[in-house]
Amino acid sequence: MVLGSYGYRYLEAPRAELLRLMSIGRDSIAEPEYFWDGMKREGDGVIFQYTLSGEGRLAVGNQTYRVAKGQAFLVTVPGRHRYYYESSAAEAWEFLWIRLSGAQVSAVWEEWLGAEGPVADFRSDSETIVKLAALYEDAAAGAFQDMWEVSVRLYDWLLTLLRRMVESPITRNAIPESFSRTAVWMETHYSQDISLDQLAEMANVTKHHYCRKFQDYYRTTPIHYLRRKRVEAAAFLLRQSCLPIGEIAGQCGFTDLGYFGKVFRQLVGTSPSNYRLSRMAEPGDNLKLL
């Protein structure tokens, strides 16, 4: 990506529901004159600035933070903060930044600062940074012409921060292959009788450790994950075949028809028979449960 910055002025006031892009850019700084005081800046909004190489400093109140490669800071404008390039640094501070405004983003920033603090680690391949880079590239290409489309893109990026806040620290990193292997096994062998002992053995850990770590990685228990995959498979067969519901239940790992109906209703919100009949009213042959 080339260096550059892009500022935006709206010819008409956006609706309150819209997020507004104020500026976005990529820069490389090696001059000690680079200094921003949050109480002396014009306008409002929030700023997210991610270090690609080198490092900078962020001072909030009486505390100063190092913002090194792979770290980002989040601040509000106006705000009691200062960020700057340290003259003694060994290399230039290269970073991506975005400044945006809107009631919703201000609420997210307030929640983030209370939960995570002003500086946080982000992997370069994380959803937040990848989508920020895509926003910058599209800005550089002149793709932003409509404030509604821009707001949709900003909401999409903002949701990556919300997801980050609700995830456990473990899920921000790659899921170990031993655990992802068991998840794939459940997705492809849901028709079989699968036990926790079998899954734990496959992951080469104890059953207690497996259950605890699986929930950390997937934000659900192994049993609920398997149940979800079985219901998704059953929903597909209900829409794509004329098989009796009892046979579909058996093919998807449910040995008791009454229990199948109970679980299906809990997850989908309707009975298997009603789901099959609603095909015309609810298009979509592949149901995914989130």
Side-chain angles (χ1 to χ4, degrees):
M1 290 184 288
V2 298
L3 303 180
S5 61
Y6 305 89
Y8 296 86
R9 296 292 182 270
Y10 287 68
L11 298 179
E12 57 182 280
R15 291 174 58 97
E17 299 89 342
L18 298 185
L19 297 184
R20 183 163 60 96
L21 178 60
M22 303 175 72
S23 64
I24 189 169
R26 175 173 179 164
D27 211 344
S28 180
I29 299 296
E31 299 80 28
E33 291 78 18
Y34 180 82
F35 181 94
W36 289 100
D37 186 326
M39 296 302 295
K40 297 180 179 179
R41 302 189 72 163
E42 296 181 357
D44 59 1
V46 300
I47 297 170
F48 179 97
Q49 187 157 306
Y50 177 72
T51 300
L52 298 167
S53 62
E55 63 181 64
R57 296 288 187 272
L58 170 71
V60 180
N62 296 323
Q63 187 166 357
T64 300
Y65 301 86
R66 176 173 172 258
V67 189
K69 179 180 179 180
Q71 293 184 310
F73 70 74
L74 296 85
V75 295
T76 60
V77 177
R80 297 188 179 280
H81 67 265
R82 305 174 307 283
Y83 57 95
Y84 54 92
Y85 176 74
E86 181 66 62
S87 58
S88 60
E91 61 178 312
W93 184 18
E94 187 169 347
F95 49 81
L96 276 169
W97 91 86
I98 186 169
R99 182 176 177 182
L100 60 159
S101 67
Q104 293 86 348
V105 74
S106 297
V108 171
W109 246 243
E110 182 177 350
E111 183 179 356
W112 178 283
L113 292 174
E116 302 268 353
V119 176
D121 296 326
F122 287 87
R123 288 170 34 157
S124 60
D125 61 350
S126 68
E127 188 180 24
T128 299
I129 304 307
V130 168
K131 289 190 173 183
L132 176 61
L135 282 168
Y136 170 71
E137 290 173 352
D138 285 347
F144 295 151
Q145 303 292 330
D146 178 85
M147 64 180 176
W148 296 88
E149 293 179 3
V150 171
S151 183
V152 169
R153 292 288 302 278
L154 294 177
Y155 269 112
D156 182 50
W157 179 77
L158 188 64
L159 286 173
T160 69
L161 293 177
L162 285 171
R163 175 180 291 180
R164 158 83 178 238
M165 279 192 285
V166 300
E167 286 181 340
S168 70
I170 295 174
T171 58
R172 299 171 190 168
N173 301 314
I175 297 172
E177 191 274 337
S178 59
F179 279 80
S180 62
R181 184 170 63 246
T182 66
V184 172
W185 177 266
M186 285 187 273
E187 292 169 10
T188 55
H189 294 78
Y190 53 80
S191 63
Q192 300 180 14
D193 183 16
I194 300 175
S195 69
L196 287 174
D197 289 324
Q198 180 184 2
L199 294 170
E201 183 179 355
M202 190 180 300
N204 198 29
V205 295
T206 66
K207 183 168 68 172
H208 174 75
H209 182 80
Y210 176 77
C211 292
R212 181 168 58 84
K213 286 296 184 181
F214 190 95
Q215 186 150 6
D216 284 341
Y217 296 137
Y218 290 93
R219 300 196 298 279
T220 189
T221 67
I223 295 301
H224 287 161
Y225 186 88
L226 176 59
R227 195 175 295 156
R228 216 165 63 200
K229 297 306 171 184
R230 285 172 168 167
V231 168
E232 288 176 353
F236 178 80
L237 290 175
L238 287 166
R239 290 280 177 88
Q240 291 293 305
S241 77
C242 296
L243 292 172
I245 292 177
E247 188 172 339
I248 289 175
Q251 287 191 16
C252 295
F254 292 96
T255 57
D256 183 274
L257 182 59
Y259 179 67
F260 167 63
K262 178 182 177 181
V263 171
F264 194 96
R265 182 182 291 276
Q266 285 177 343
L267 295 182
V268 182
T270 189
S271 67
S273 56
N274 284 341
Y275 182 80
R276 169 172 270 173
L277 293 173
S278 68
R279 179 173 184 176
M280 298 306 295
E282 294 184 22
D285 294 324
N286 294 282
L287 176 68
K288 296 299 179 184
L289 300 170
L290 303 176

